[in-house]
Amino acid sequence: MRSLNNSLGRISAFWLNEFRRMRADPGQFFVIVMLPVLMVAALTPMALAVLRMKGHANANGAEQSVPGMVVLFSFTSTTILGGAFFREHLWNTWERLRASPALPFEIIVGKCGPVYVLSLCQLSVVWFVGITAFHLKISGSLITIAILNGFLSWATLGIGMALVALCRTIDQIGIIGNMGSMVLGGLSGAFMPIDLHSGMGMVARCSPLFWALSAYQSVIFDGKGILDNTFTFLLLFGFGAAGFLIGLMRFRMSDTKIGST
Amino acid sequence: MLEIKGLKKSYDNHEVLKGVDLTVAPGEIVGLIGVNGAGKTTLTSIVAGLRTADEGEVTICGVDALKDPHASHTHLGLASQDVGLYPILTGWQNLDFFGRLVALRSQSRKRRIEEVADSLGLTDFLDKRVETLSGGQRRRLHAAVAMLHRPSVLLLDEPTVGADIQSRQKLLLEVRRFAAEGSAVVYATHYFPEVETLGGSVAILHEGRIVARGDCNSIISRYAAPSVELAFEGEVPTDLREFAKLKDQGSEDGQSLGRVVIPVRHPGKDLAGIIIDLGVEASRLRSVEFHQPSLETAFLRITRLENTGLAEEEFDAVT
């Protein structure tokens, strides 16, 4: 019981520390929120044209641009998680953590938790701005959207953990995170509906972003609910779990990581 | 409290630690000295669980630190060679975080932060971001983190590198006070005067082994000799240079003022002999300084003894 309490205490210490770091560098949050919002503003007119062409007579474009940018920028949590781990090496605090009573799983949970919360906040803000500023109409319930947000963040966090374990430098994780976001997001239909890409549909199905986007749009256009999206929830959970599994199998506290560019 | 037995470590084919034995009792400060590459950092890293050992035992407060490093970490405080702090957080936030990691409860954590900050002269800087602190202030904060939870074993690896004289003094004073409260302190350094100031014991790590261990004063009195330093206008006379070279304990920078350090047994008598031997060259003599035996000269003699592989009597006879 005491060791459980100590463990929870250390995890909460990591959470607090990560949030303090985020608060000390608020620019990061503004960037990850402002960029998708700006992209929504830029892409909405084009999305409007595409949706009208597809027969959505009442669409205003936000039905494509908002969920598109949500899934595209959800991937930024991979690089944020990478930074949370790799900067410890840059600041020489990693050795301190290793010489502390903290167990590896406590460090992982302690670092992933706040990034997960940050990711949820990011997605929520983009949805909020989409609904209020871009007049996005959602046929289904916001609860389904919120649950999808939770599973999407989980999936990208799992991929992030795998990248943390597999990459050696912060540059690697940054490039993979950013390029991954663009490629997977693009293939998944973040910029334009997936059925306009010939032959890319099968490739897109390997990406959690595709499934998340499809589910978001099923809620927006068709009013699908929680039960209708159970398969997507499970799939996103599976993507995240697979990422965490790879991460946990390959993660070594003693690995040398380069935290500077 | 800290017991190291037969510790061995190799990197590729290079054996860095060749069977280190070291015991540090509660309240004892051990100055772990050695040249760069002697294995000091490897030794402290293994004790702290940052590196694995090839062979040997490390026991911290009865806990096998090699088999169960996490259990031993509760008793351990580490300030490694490189400052490890979060630069974008304040000093207080850094101390608070590491205090939470070692399960210091709210009130005791706050009290300890105030105590260590006060004793290391950090109180006025606690609310400032670490990135704005000077090198010396960071060094002190780095050490404060290691001392926060009053660990039974404190490992300090080159804790004063780059620190100003004020930071150095504060740190040394705090280390002494810390040991006086019952902690075992391993102070790895190559600044010999610091070890003398700490007044503890000494362990000389040379080529992967502890080659001398004991009270600082007894090591000095046993191995070190007094010396005289002569400064000449121009170069050091050839005979004297040869003599110093022959003794293999002199040094000279040989520019406009050539200097040479010569170990002596009876300073006054031996100096008189040297001046007589110099003859007319003595007219170029500009200054004479007597040096008391020090840990540095003891260290040099011990390591040379080890390098030659001779017994002390044989070594003295040869040199």
Side-chain angles (χ1 to χ4, degrees), chain B residues 90-124:
Chain B
T90 65
W92 190 88
Q93 286 172 330
N94 271 275
L95 288 167
D96 181 64
F97 169 60
F98 288 109
R100 284 170 190 268
L101 279 192
V102 290
L104 283 179
R105 299 291 164 215
S106 179
Q107 282 307 310
S108 57
R109 189 171 64 243
K110 189 169 176 288
R111 196 177 57 247
R112 274 302 289 160
I113 289 173
E114 285 167 1
E115 280 173 9
V116 291
D118 182 51
S119 56
L120 286 167
L122 291 164
T123 308
D124 294 340

Side-chain angles (χ1 to χ4, degrees), chain A:
Chain A
M1 193 64 193
R2 194 178 165 191
S3 83
L4 178 69
N5 277 345
N6 285 341
S7 196
L8 290 174
R10 285 190 289 267
I11 289 170
S12 65
F14 278 109
W15 277 56
L16 182 65
N17 200 47
E18 290 301 316
F19 284 128
R20 277 176 176 162
R21 277 172 56 181
M22 289 173 188
R23 196 178 60 183
D25 185 15
Q28 180 179 252
F29 182 72
F30 286 112
V31 168
I32 65 168
V33 166
M34 286 308 293
L35 272 181
V37 169
L38 288 173
M39 289 292 283
V40 167
L43 291 174
T44 298
M46 186 181 79
L48 172 65
V50 172
L51 290 176
R52 289 274 167 87
M53 199 172 72
K54 285 185 73 187
H56 295 284
N58 297 322
N60 67 6
E63 297 86 349
Q64 165 65 33
S65 60
V66 172
M69 292 306 102
V70 161
V71 296
L72 185 79
F73 284 92
S74 68
F75 218 70
T76 51
S77 62
T78 58
T79 49
I80 293 171
L81 186 67
F85 277 93
F86 281 59
R87 289 227 158 72
E88 299 279 357
H89 293 268
L90 172 68
W91 295 332
N92 300 315
T93 42
W94 189 248
E95 286 202 345
R96 271 233 133 99
L97 299 184
R98 289 182 60 206
S100 79
L103 296 165
F105 91 89
E106 293 167 352
I107 297 175
I108 291 171
V109 175
K111 292 213 162 277
C112 287
V115 177
Y116 183 74
V117 173
L118 183 75
S119 174
L120 286 181
C121 290
Q122 178 202 25
L123 303 192
S124 304
V125 170
V126 179
W127 281 110
F128 177 77
V129 174
I131 292 166
T132 55
F134 295 94
H135 312 294
L136 170 65
K137 299 259 186 314
I138 299 172
S139 305
S141 79
L142 281 176
I143 294 171
T144 313
I145 296 285
I147 295 171
L148 272 168
N149 285 351
F151 280 107
L152 176 61
S153 293
W154 162 262
T156 52
L157 202 66
I159 293 168
M161 193 59 224
L163 292 178
V164 165
L166 295 170
C167 293
R168 197 170 163 268
T169 69
I170 199 165
D171 284 340
Q172 286 175 355
I173 204 164
I175 289 167
I176 294 171
N178 291 332
M179 295 304 288
S181 167
M182 289 298 154
V183 173
L184 291 182
L187 286 176
S188 304
F191 296 107
M192 62 179 71
I194 187 73
D195 50 359
L196 295 184
H197 297 277
S198 57
M200 285 296 177
M202 285 309 292
V203 183
R205 280 173 170 74
C206 300
S207 160
L209 306 190
F210 165 80
W211 295 99
L213 184 58
S214 303
Y216 281 135
Q217 288 187 322
S218 77
V219 181
I220 292 170
F221 289 118
D222 308 324
K224 295 277 175 70
I226 295 170
L227 286 177
D228 303 310
N229 283 300
T230 309
F231 177 69
T232 304
F233 295 155
L234 290 173
L235 212 56
L236 291 175
F237 180 80
F239 274 112
F244 274 109
L245 194 65
I246 293 167
L248 293 175
M249 283 167 62
R250 293 295 304 269
F251 183 73
R252 300 279 180 280
M253 292 287 284
S254 55
D255 279 352
T256 305
K257 307 276 188 186
I258 313 293
S260 60
T261 54

Side-chain angles (χ1 to χ4, degrees), chain B residues 26-27 112 115 150 174-183:
Chain B
R112 274 302 289 160
E115 280 173 9
R150 294 184 193 279
E174 187 55 18
V175 169
R176 286 178 77 156
R177 186 164 30 196
F178 203 74
E181 288 172 4
S183 290

